[in-house]
């Protein structure tokens, strides 16, 4: 009953602010007063399972977004290529504005197949995080200002529906607080980012005129671990590889033949040790040669970041870090990560055998101006130099007998990294407006460690790209129990409002 | 019909030879004439599933063997300790003999749980190996001398019921050919070898007086890969280890944290590369210091072995071997084998994550005079030297944070290697008698690469031990489709007859 009354109060307040906003109300005041409305919208979005496995869910989500945009006066349309999930595009020009800004986000979520969720991924649950095992809370009945540490759990709540909710809420806040956008607004919300955006380049190319703009803001990815509102100016590219090393045709008794028949697990270990040292430095000649070094503006931005290393070290339970640099600097370098390695058996599965093969999985993280082809070429040249014979399929007997070291490489597609120069006028304008909107210095990240295919936009559009993340870094991205921290949503609304109403360059 | 007639013919022949053997018949002639009888016995033994999971099968097998021995005039008894499966012990003194020889074998087989058998492991099937996919043949109906390349498939057919059948058949052959044993005969057939012989030392100690002898012949293990009848004078010991290396408390996104948070898979690879080189040389200081070097007699025996390296290389499909030595020499050294390694995921299971831990499995193969404790101590000292903090259980958070490199060690029990000196008079007598029985030079192996717990016998009995193997090296030991090659059984009968009737020193 109380909850019902409180809900009614919020609704009235919202209606009041929407129809006749007090002229002095700030964006922050608006969202304080409209928390329930904002969360309801996210809740509604999460309940619609817009994942690759559910084309109807993707369609339904696109239609719901078209409706949300239309009722705000935007001119929406759906873009697609080759029957792809629809891109929700919409525009709203601002009279007198000289700049056009596109807000990118994606409304599709990761699959929900992997691992165990504490609750249905499509029935959002708010949880109070203060206790060691978070407790579900009824936010609708809570009333007043909600605990900003509460988190809403559900697939795509953080990645990436939060960005869409922040955009819509920020626009509502601008209107309600009597302000006007300072730029022409565009939205570009795609529906297959989690599937690798296979049609994105085609859609961008086919709609180049429509998408002409001065800036793209990429509303995806996590904010800095300090929880400071953040911008990122680039992201590393990625290139995956499965490598398989061959031993005897079948496993052999390692008592009878160990020490004489080469063991592929040992060979894999030696090769990995040859590839990178204990500080993460890549030992493959030429692989990192093309990497663009951080400039003075990048270094200054990194120096100004809140120090989070000690907190992370404690929360990860690690006794050292690789390299002597902080996290943000280490991310500016190319990386060679071992995602997995497998050979024979361990523990209860251990047999006294030389395994027939050993395989391992690498992902290379690329920085500008490394290329996928360049990394592949350096790696394969390094293998040849070390005496490896490279094959693309399982080797036949003749190949095995001819070559002392045979390795099969299965490259994944991969894509390069990208960085927008921090010192450009547009970059400085975005940094300034974001700081003003946040009311404090923001975290300016020259590069995200993770990969976002910014190269696709850059390759087609040749327009500056800047990352505008909202989600907490600990959002359980791509994993079970994805969640969005409420304060991140509030900060995101402020930032989006700043990007709509405060940008001028 | 024809098959039936042939079977009858063999039976008549057998009855004839058993009741009134022509005085000039050789052992080889006897077994040529009695192939069906010998194979029938092995067939009957294999049908009795004497494996650890089937205590009734073990009991039944022991009783069957007692009966076989009793009908040949041996004095059998059952030995056990703490309710262990029974050891079938039996003695038959030879008037005037000055030496006593114990014939060891085991009647238990490996479990049949792992992998797929082409046919029921307890319903023996004879297969013709000439076609690429071996064809089942009806040996009972075949008549005449059977193809010696045929193999009988079934659990324990090779390991180790073949040795028991060879003993019984060789004794029958001696009797049938009118010869007498030259030594006092003892059999010691245990029923829990495949379970690690946990009660063997206790049984030996409790029956020391009964078991007094001048020589133990260990009827187990494979013959030389050249298929030459073989003796081995030692076997390496073994020591297993599971090692676990710890990274972050939970897997972390390797784009965001790779290159900064240490990756346990990479650490494992580096550690393995630090432990041994590409030629199999162990790089752990002190670990191999105690290893007894091969003496001149060992080196001469190895030099005289048939060269099988090229054949093995071709059949294993390998392009090189470790070290510059032949197989038999490499086996004289201590070995460090990687049985398996596991971290994260590979291929379809690959996640873009730094794994939380990496584990690997080692088995060390020990040569005399290395000790289990010595190997452990050297390995742990090496880890400390390399900056590893060794724990026995999963480390707590404090340990993880204090130490940059934490490794958990789970040692298996392990046991040392053993070698009987080839130049002892007893050794020379056995080599001489074996060569005479085989009618050609035999393969004298100073050491078997695989492990047999000879140390247990040596520790209690202080009696020379020599290995008297029968099974073909490619018998699929401990794996599905275990099989015995017929010629190996025939050679084994000759060899056993030589050990019973031709030993004198």
């Amino acid at each position: 009953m109380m909850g019902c009354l409180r809900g009614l109060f919020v609704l009235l307040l919202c209606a009041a602010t929407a129809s006749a906003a007090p002229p002095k109300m700030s964006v922050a005041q608006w969202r304080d007063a409209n928390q329930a409305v904002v969360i309801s919208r996210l809740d509604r979005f999460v309940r619609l399972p817009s994942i690759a496995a559910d084309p109807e869910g993707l369609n339904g989500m696109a239609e719901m977004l078209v409706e949300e945009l239309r009722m705000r006066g935007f001119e929406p349309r759906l873009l697609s290529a080759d029957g792809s999930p629809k891109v929700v595009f919409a525009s709203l020009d601002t009279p007198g504005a000289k700049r056009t800004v596109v807000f990118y986000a994606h409304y599709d979520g990761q699959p929900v197949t992997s691992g165990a969720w504490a609750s249905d991924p499509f029935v959002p649950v708010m949880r109070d995080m203060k206790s060691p095992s978070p407790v579900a809370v009824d936010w609708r009945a809570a009333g007043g200002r909600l605990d900003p540490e509460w988190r809403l759990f559900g697939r795509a709540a953080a990645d990436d529906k939060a960005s869409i909710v922040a955009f819509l809420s920020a626009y509502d806040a601008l209107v309600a607080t009597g302000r006007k956008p300072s730029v022409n607004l565009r939205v570009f919300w795609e529906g297959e980012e989690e599937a690798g955006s296979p049609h994105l380049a085609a859609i961008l190319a086919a709609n180049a005129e429509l998408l002409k703009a001065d800036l793209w803001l990429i509303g995806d990815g996590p904010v800095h671990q300090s929880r400071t509102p953040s911008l990122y100016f680039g992201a590393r590219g990625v290139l995956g590889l499965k490598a398989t090393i061959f031993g005897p045709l079948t496993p052999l008794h390692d008592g009878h033949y160990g020490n004489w028949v080469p063991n592929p697990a040992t060979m894999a270990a030696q090769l990995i040790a040859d590839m990178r040292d204990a500080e993460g430095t890549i030992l493959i000649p030429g692989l990192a040669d093309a990497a663009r070094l951080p400039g003075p503006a990048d270094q200054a931005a990194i120096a100004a970041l809140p120090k989070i290393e000690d907190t992370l070290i404690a929360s990860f339970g690690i006794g050292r870090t690789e390299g002597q640099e902080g996290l943000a600097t280490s991310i500016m370098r190319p990386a060679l990560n071992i995602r997995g390695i497998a050979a024979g058996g361990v523990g209860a599965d251990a047999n006294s055998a030389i395994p027939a093969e050993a395989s391992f999985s690498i992902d290379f993280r690329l920085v500008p101006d490394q290329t996928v082809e360049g990394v592949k070429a350096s790696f394969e040249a390094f293998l040849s130099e070390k005496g490896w014979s490279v094959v693309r399929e399982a080797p036949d007997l003749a190949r095995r007998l001819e070559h002392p070291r045979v390795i099969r490489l299965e490259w994944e597609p991969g894509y390069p990294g990208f960085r927008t120069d921090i010192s450009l006028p547009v970059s400085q304008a975005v940094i300034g407006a974001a700081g003003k909107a946040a009311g404090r210095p923001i975290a300016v990240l020259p590069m995200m460690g993770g990969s976002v295919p910014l190269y696709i936009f850059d390759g087609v559009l040749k327009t500056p790209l800047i990352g505008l993340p909202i989600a907490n870094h600990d959002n359980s991205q791509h994993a079970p129990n994805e969640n969005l921290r409420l304060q991140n949503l509030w900060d995101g609304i402020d930032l989006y409002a700043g990007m709509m109403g405060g940008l001028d360059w």
Side-chain angles (χ1 to χ4, degrees), chain A residues 92-175:
Chain A
L92 181 71
D93 284 340
T94 301
K98 61 180 179 173
R99 301 292 187 183
T100 300
V101 177
V102 186
F103 291 81
Y104 167 91
H106 64 88
Y107 62 81
D108 62 317
Q110 274 274 317
V112 292
T113 46
S114 60
W117 284 73
S119 51
D120 187 328
F122 300 113
V123 179
V125 175
M126 187 75 77
R127 291 200 174 91
D128 184 345
M129 307 302 289
K130 280 191 293 288
S131 77
S133 51
V135 181
V137 289
D138 182 359
W139 60 272
R140 287 184 178 81
R145 215 168 151 263
L146 303 178
D147 182 340
E149 295 299 332
W150 284 3
R151 300 190 188 188
L152 191 73
F153 285 76
R155 176 51 89 216
D159 180 21
D160 186 29
K161 292 178 177 174
S163 294
I164 294 173
V165 169
F167 178 91
L168 296 172
S169 306
Y171 183 80
D172 290 347
L174 280 197
V175 171

Side-chain angles (χ1 to χ4, degrees), chain A residues 224-226 228 300-312 326-327:
Chain A
H224 191 247
Q225 295 90 343
S226 61
T228 312
I302 289 171
L305 288 175
K307 297 290 165 283
I308 34 82
E309 279 78 357
D310 289 349
T311 307
L312 291 180
L327 176 57

Side-chain angles (χ1 to χ4, degrees), chain A residues 114-381:
Chain A
S114 60
W117 284 73
S119 51
D120 187 328
F122 300 113
V123 179
V125 175
M126 187 75 77
R127 291 200 174 91
D128 184 345
M129 307 302 289
K130 280 191 293 288
S131 77
S133 51
V135 181
V137 289
D138 182 359
W139 60 272
R140 287 184 178 81
R145 215 168 151 263
L146 303 178
D147 182 340
E149 295 299 332
W150 284 3
R151 300 190 188 188
L152 191 73
F153 285 76
R155 176 51 89 216
D159 180 21
D160 186 29
K161 292 178 177 174
S163 294
I164 294 173
V165 169
F167 178 91
L168 296 172
S169 306
Y171 183 80
D172 290 347
L174 280 197
V175 171
T177 59
R179 294 158 73 200
K180 272 194 353 180
S182 60
V183 293
N184 298 316
L185 301 178
R186 306 284 182 268
V187 305
F188 186 100
W189 293 337
E190 72 160 317
E192 56 175 3
E193 196 272 346
E194 299 296 4
S197 304
H199 299 92
L200 180 57
I203 293 172
L204 293 177
N207 298 281
E209 195 57 35
L210 188 70
L211 299 173
K212 251 195 174 151
D214 301 290
L215 169 67
W216 279 61
L217 290 170
I218 307 298
D220 198 4
V223 306
H224 191 247
Q225 295 90 343
S226 61
R227 306 205 189 282
T228 312
S230 310
L231 295 170
Y232 60 88
F233 286 76
R236 294 200 283 195
V238 65
L239 176 58
L241 171 66
K242 179 183 174 187
T244 307
I245 289 173
F246 299 89
L249 287 166
T250 55
L252 291 177
H253 193 293
D254 70 10
H256 296 316
Y257 299 108
N259 246 31
W260 190 71
V261 169
N263 182 318
T266 314
M267 294 163 78
Q270 184 64 59
L271 177 57
I272 292 169
D274 287 345
M275 292 191 299
R276 77 195 294 285
D277 70 14
E279 303 304 327
T281 305
I282 297 174
L283 305 175
I284 299 167
L287 191 137
D289 286 359
R292 191 191 306 168
L293 298 175
D298 303 312
Q299 289 168 340
I302 289 171
L305 288 175
K307 297 290 165 283
I308 34 82
E309 279 78 357
D310 289 349
T311 307
L312 291 180
I313 285 170
S315 72
F316 297 160
I318 54 177
R320 69 180 279 264
T321 59
E322 290 189 342
Q324 301 306 311
E325 313 152 330
L327 176 57
T329 303
S330 81
I331 282 169
M332 302 297 282
R333 288 193 282 134
L336 190 168
N337 297 306
I338 302 297
R339 295 188 288 199
I341 181 167
V346 178
D349 297 329
N351 286 317
S352 293
I354 302 165
E357 58 182 54
S359 58
F360 58 90
S361 179
I362 297 181
D363 70 7
F364 294 96
R365 296 284 165 168
L366 280 59
V367 303
D369 299 304
Q370 291 182 291
T371 62
V372 165
E373 287 313 314
V375 169
K376 285 186 188 177
S378 302
F379 186 69
E380 298 200 8

Side-chain angles (χ1 to χ4, degrees), chain A residues 12 31 63 72 114 120 195 266 273 318 374 377 384 409 422 444 458 468:
Chain A
L12 289 171
R31 57 152 170 81
E63 281 163 24
R72 284 170 177 82
S114 60
D120 187 328
T266 314
I318 54 177
S384 298
L409 302 185
I422 292 184
V444 175
D458 181 56
L468 186 69

Side-chain angles (χ1 to χ4, degrees), chain A residues 158-159 162-163 221-224 469-475 483-485 488:
Chain A
D159 180 21
S163 294
V223 306
H224 191 247
I470 288 187
N472 37 304
H473 71 281
D474 49 0
N475 71 56
N483 65 83
L484 180 71
R485 177 176 164 265
N488 279 69

